[in-house]
Amino acid sequence: MLSGIASKLLSKYLGDYVEGMEQEALNLHISKGDASLSNLRLKKSALEGLELPVVVKEGLLGKLTLQIPWTHLGSKPAVATIEGLSLVIGPKPKSVISAKEEEERALITKKRGLQLAEIMGLDKPDEDESDK
């Protein structure tokens, strides 16, 4: 049951970046707080939110390992380790972008940033700052 919930959470947060978030690619040890995913193909849209002057033509993530301290979530960090990241990139083609498309891209970028901040716990004030 817990591995099913963890799989859904990983799919939710990693689904924008990688393809193939099937159960077979996922190796979970919930009680230890370890999860590892192997041989994941990056989506071609994986880097779009960074607004880089390049596009992903192909990408492969050899192994992603997560260590989550379930019993100390508020005091110890979760650690993500990436091994074997391979990217084939090319220059982003120049195109005319409408103002509406630019607004949509900015909104998507902002949402991704907020999701990342939420995942990393940056959406909460530090305990020292809240005392002031």
Side-chain angles (χ1 to χ4, degrees), residues 7 10-11 18-27 36-41:
S7 295
L10 287 171
S11 290
V18 296
E19 298 174 355
M21 291 292 300
E22 290 86 20
Q23 187 70 31
E24 302 86 48
L26 183 60
N27 182 10
S36 80
L37 298 109
S38 299
N39 299 321
L40 297 171
R41 188 162 300 284

Side-chain angles (χ1 to χ4, degrees), residues 61-106:
L61 179 60
K63 186 174 181 181
L64 171 64
T65 304
L66 302 170
Q67 295 172 326
I68 305 164
W70 294 112
T71 56
H72 303 295
L73 282 177
S75 60
K76 291 188 178 177
V79 177
T81 306
I82 295 174
E83 296 177 32
L85 176 62
S86 300
L87 289 174
V88 176
I89 57 173
K92 185 180 278 187
K94 294 184 180 183
S95 62
V96 178
I97 301 172
S98 70
K100 184 177 180 180
E101 288 175 323
E102 187 65 35
E103 286 179 29
E104 289 174 359
R105 285 184 181 181

